[in-house]
Amino acid sequence: GAHEGIRLRIPGADLDGILVNTQFLRDVRLGKYLPGGASNSPDAPALGKRLLVLGGGNVAIDCARSAVRLGVEVHLACLEGRESMPAHLWEVQAAEAEGVTLHPGLSFEEILGDEHGRASGVACMQVASFHFDETGRLQVEKIAGSRQVIPCDTIIFSVGQRAGLAFIPQDAGVGITQRQTIAINP
């Protein structure tokens, strides 16, 4: 039921060359990408030579493995350390065996763009620790001086999914929470 991918709210998230996990996987399944990452559809942008997936769950691994099978160089960066990635261990191992390069334990600071307004890399910092506070907000402790850039031609956000609620009319009287879920009476 959660068919809408989430785009992180970081600087540069609106640049060209950024995809969302659910959209990318749908387009791959519909045959909109050709070997080498070229597109045969006007609504599916070409992937370029180097793709970066942001996220460490099973859907992120699915995106990475789908892209590497198209013949693109694929990197995957995630907040979690290698041992604590939410994806199944066997999926992570299979992705690495297929050629996906992992960059675990990183926070995503901003997406860098080129002179044409297209994503060209992600600035990251190494994570010392992270947790979710009592309101559900992510709290990250970063290692000072650890900023690095992972260059890429295309970025896929795969940091979670949520229910698509656009079908609910504004005047329906249905409440929506800050976390974009339907408000209920407990």
Side-chain angles (χ1 to χ4, degrees):
H3 294 282
E4 187 175 300
I6 296 171
R7 206 179 264 259
L8 290 175
R9 295 180 188 164
I10 59 174
D14 58 346
L15 292 169
D16 290 337
I18 300 176
L19 305 174
V20 177
N21 54 6
T22 52
Q23 171 196 350
F24 172 72
L25 290 173
R26 182 198 67 222
D27 288 348
V28 168
R29 181 71 177 128
L30 292 173
K32 293 184 179 184
Y33 287 104
L34 302 171
S39 171
N40 64 4
S41 175
D43 61 338
L47 301 178
K49 294 182 180 177
R50 185 175 174 147
L51 181 137
L52 175 61
V53 178
L54 301 179
N58 287 321
V59 176
I61 296 291
D62 290 346
C63 290
R65 292 180 75 186
S66 295
V68 83
R69 290 171 188 168
L70 290 169
V72 178
E73 178 185 337
V74 179
H75 294 255
L76 182 142
C78 61
L79 184 65
E80 302 83 8
R82 170 72 169 76
E83 304 77 31
S84 58
M85 289 174 64
H88 298 299
L89 177 60
W90 67 268
E91 285 259 31
V92 175
Q93 292 169 338
E96 288 180 304
E98 284 190 72
V100 174
T101 302
L102 295 183
H103 304 272
L106 297 176
S107 69
F108 314 128
E109 302 299 309
E110 69 175 309
I111 297 173
L112 307 173
D114 64 16
E115 64 276 3
H116 305 293
R118 184 169 176 84
S120 62
V122 176
C124 305
M125 289 187 74
Q126 289 181 332
V127 173
S129 66
F130 71 93
H131 69 279
F132 293 92
D133 67 17
E134 61 279 348
T135 66
R137 295 186 63 97
L138 178 63
Q139 304 297 316
V140 180
E141 181 185 338
K142 302 166 196 171
I143 298 173
S146 67
R147 183 178 164 101
Q148 59 187 283
V149 173
I150 303 173
C152 59
D153 301 311
T154 302
I155 296 165
I156 299 177
F157 279 122
S158 191
V159 294
Q161 295 85 238
R162 64 177 166 219
L165 302 178
F167 69 93
I168 301 173
Q170 294 282 17
D171 60 355
V174 176
I176 307 295
T177 69
Q178 287 182 331
R179 298 186 77 175
Q180 296 300 303
T181 59
I182 296 174
I184 61 165
N185 181 343

